[in-house]
Amino acid sequence: MKIAIAHDYLIQMGGAERVVEVFHHMYPDAPIFTTVFNGSRLTDNLKDADIRASWLQKIPGVKTNFKGVLPLYPMAIRDLDFRGYDIVLSSSSAFMKSIQVPESTFHLCYCHTPMRFAWDYDTYMERQSNSGLFKRLLKVYMQRLKNWDQRTSKNVNQFVANSSVVKTRIQNYYHRDADVIFPPINTARFSSSSSIGDYYLIVSRLVSYKRIDLAVEAFNRNGLKLYIVGDGPDRKRLEGMAKDNVSFLGRLEDTEVTGLMSKCRAFIFPGEEDFGITPLEANAAGRPVIAYQAGGALDTIVPYVNGVFFQHQEVDDLLKAIYEVESYAWDIGQIMGHARKFDEQAFMVQFKQYVEQAYVNFLKGG
C-alpha cells in the first residue's frame, strides 16, 4: 500500500507532533504533507522525513507568525495533491482533516480535537490581549470557519479520536462516530530518580487557555518552587504575575526535560486538554500528576494511583490538591506501570492493525 501522512503544521513540537513522529516510524517511506514547517524546530526523529509543504511555506515570516495567515489555510490544503496514494493518514487538530483525496483513496483522520479556536472560541480567546473589536470581528469569521469545518468533515472516511472527550466532540460537531485510540508515549525515554527535588513542574506551550496562570497564582500564594518549561505568547503576562519562587525556563532539550520530570515533587496540569501526553511522561518518570478534572485527563489519571484531580479551576482547589500530593505515600513502581499501558510500542501494533482492517472495510464498501 502506498501511504501518505498529513499534519496541520510542523512549527512547534507538542503532543500532536509526537504522534506524527510515531507515524513516521511506522511508515518511514510515507511523505508528510503539511501547510508549513520550521526545519530548525523539527525533532531528530523527523529530520530524515520527506516533508512536503504547501505554498504557505513561501510566505515571508510565516514560520514565526503562522496564526497570522489563518484565512489562507483552507485554500492551502485544497491544493495538496494526494493522487496515487492508497491511504492518507491525517493528524489534525485544525485544518488537515479537511483535505480532499481521490475517491479510491482511504482517508483516516487521527483527530486530536476539532479545531478548538473555532468551536470553543470564547474560552480560547478570553485571556488574549487583543482588542474587543478584533475579537468581535474574528468571532464572525470563526462562525464561517465552523461551517466550513463541519461541511468538510465529510472528506474523512474514518475518524479515530485520541480521547473520550474528543470522541464526544466529533459526534457533537460533525455528527460522526469515532473509535478511540490513545496517543503513544515513549516510556523508554524516562526513568525514575532516587532523589526528589524541592520543585513542582509544568511543561507546556504558554498560551492562555492552558491556564498556567492558575498555577502561578497558586504557587504565588503557597511559596513553593514551580518550574515552568516552555514558551509562547502568554509568557510575558505570566512572568509579570509571578513571584520569585516561580521560574520560567523556556524551551529545553528533551534530555533536560526528562531529568526535571524524574525529580519533581509532582507535575501540574491545570488546563482542560484534549488528551495530555506530558502528564503520562511524568508518570513514566515515576512522578504523580495534579490535573484539572476534565478533558483527556479523565482517561489517564486514576486518583491515588498516578495522581490526583482538582475539580474546579480555582486557586483554592489547586492548593488543596497540592496538599493531597504532599501527604500521600506514592508507589513509584505503580505510577510507572500505569504509564506503560500507553507505551508507543503497544500503540503501533494496535494502530497498524486498525488501519489495515479499516482499509479492508473501505475496499469492501463498508
Side-chain angles (χ1 to χ4, degrees):
M1 296 183 294
K2 193 174 180 183
I3 296 175
I5 299 166
H7 184 63
D8 297 314
Y9 18 67
L10 291 167
I11 295 294
Q12 51 200 5
M13 293 296 110
E17 288 70 35
R18 297 289 189 189
V19 174
V20 175
E21 286 184 354
V22 175
F23 284 174
H24 175 56
H25 182 73
M26 294 169 64
Y27 307 106
D29 295 328
I32 300 174
F33 289 82
T34 191
T35 54
V36 61
F37 74 97
N38 187 339
S40 65
R41 291 278 181 84
L42 294 177
T43 61
D44 290 342
N45 294 328
L46 289 175
K47 293 290 188 182
D48 66 336
D50 176 6
I51 298 176
R52 304 181 186 181
S54 74
W55 47 261
L56 284 178
Q57 186 77 9
K58 299 178 181 178
I59 296 178
V62 71
K63 295 176 186 178
T64 54
N65 186 26
F66 68 102
K67 293 181 180 180
V69 294
L70 180 67
L72 300 181
Y73 285 102
M75 291 181 281
I77 65 161
R78 188 179 59 201
D79 292 339
L80 297 175
D81 187 359
F82 294 100
R83 288 176 296 181
Y85 293 99
D86 300 301
I87 298 174
V88 176
L89 302 177
S90 66
S91 161
S92 182
S93 59
F95 302 96
M96 201 55 78
K97 72 120 189 68
S98 301
I99 55 174
Q100 295 177 326
V101 303
E103 288 187 9
S104 59
T105 299
F106 175 58
H107 176 195
L108 184 148
C109 175
Y110 189 82
C111 186
H112 305 282
T113 184
M115 52 178 68
R116 197 183 254 247
F117 48 85
W119 291 100
D120 193 16
Y121 174 81
D122 290 335
T123 301
Y124 192 87
M125 292 293 292
E126 64 181 345
R127 289 172 181 81
Q128 300 282 358
S129 59
N130 306 95
S131 69
L133 176 60
F134 175 83
K135 288 182 178 180
R136 288 194 294 273
L137 292 174
L138 190 59
K139 190 170 186 176
V140 172
Y141 173 71
M142 286 302 170
Q143 184 57 54
R144 294 179 57 192
L145 191 61
K146 283 197 295 186
N147 295 338
W148 173 86
D149 188 51
Q150 189 173 67
R151 185 175 68 253
T152 57
S153 67
K154 298 175 183 178
N155 295 353
V156 176
N157 297 111
Q158 179 66 48
F159 276 103
V160 175
N162 74 344
S163 68
S164 300
V165 70
V166 170
K167 173 184 173 74
T168 299
R169 291 175 193 163
I170 291 169
Q171 291 171 331
N172 290 342
Y173 303 154
Y174 302 152
H175 311 298
R176 298 283 302 275
D177 193 21
D179 294 311
V180 177
I181 298 179
F182 298 128
I185 310 296
N186 183 3
T187 60
R189 286 177 50 216
F190 301 89
S191 59
S192 62
S193 173
S194 58
S195 62
I196 303 303
D198 61 350
Y199 60 90
Y200 287 77
L201 182 66
I202 288 175
V203 179
S204 176
R205 286 186 295 115
L206 304 186
V207 291
S208 60
Y209 79 89
K210 290 182 178 287
R211 295 310 312 273
I212 310 300
D213 60 321
L214 179 66
V216 171
E217 290 177 4
F219 281 83
N220 279 348
R221 191 185 299 182
N222 66 19
L224 298 175
K225 284 186 182 179
L226 175 64
Y227 291 166
I228 299 176
V229 176
D231 208 345
D234 208 29
R235 179 170 177 172
K236 184 176 180 180
R237 180 178 77 94
L238 294 170
E239 287 181 325
M241 296 170 50
K243 293 184 177 180
D244 292 343
N245 58 305
V246 179
S247 301
F248 291 81
L249 307 184
R251 292 190 180 93
L252 299 178
E253 297 295 327
D254 283 352
T255 53
E256 295 175 284
V257 175
T258 56
L260 287 170
M261 282 185 170
S262 68
K263 295 182 179 181
C264 70
R265 300 199 67 78
F267 188 87
I268 310 293
F269 197 59
E272 180 178 349
E273 294 285 358
D274 311 314
F275 179 73
I277 285 178
T278 49
L280 286 170
E281 291 180 334
N283 285 162
R287 305 314 303 147
V289 172
I290 299 170
Y292 174 48
Q293 193 171 2
L298 298 174
D299 287 326
T300 61
I301 305 301
V302 180
Y304 300 105
V305 172
N306 66 322
V308 297
F309 285 121
F310 62 99
Q311 290 188 331
H312 306 286
Q313 285 179 314
E314 297 172 359
V315 172
D316 286 341
D317 270 25
L318 178 52
L319 288 171
K320 181 181 176 182
I322 294 168
Y323 176 78
E324 288 182 50
V325 163
E326 287 284 351
S327 58
Y328 189 75
W330 294 97
D331 184 331
I332 292 176
Q334 187 178 52
I335 292 173
M336 296 177 74
H338 178 80
R340 283 193 290 271
K341 297 176 183 178
F342 299 85
D343 187 70
E344 66 179 24
Q345 295 299 322
F347 171 88
M348 287 191 286
V349 172
Q350 181 185 13
F351 193 78
K352 184 167 281 192
Q353 290 176 345
Y354 184 93
V355 170
E356 291 173 357
Q357 186 57 58
Y359 181 57
V360 169
N361 293 339
F362 170 75
L363 293 177
K364 291 179 179 178

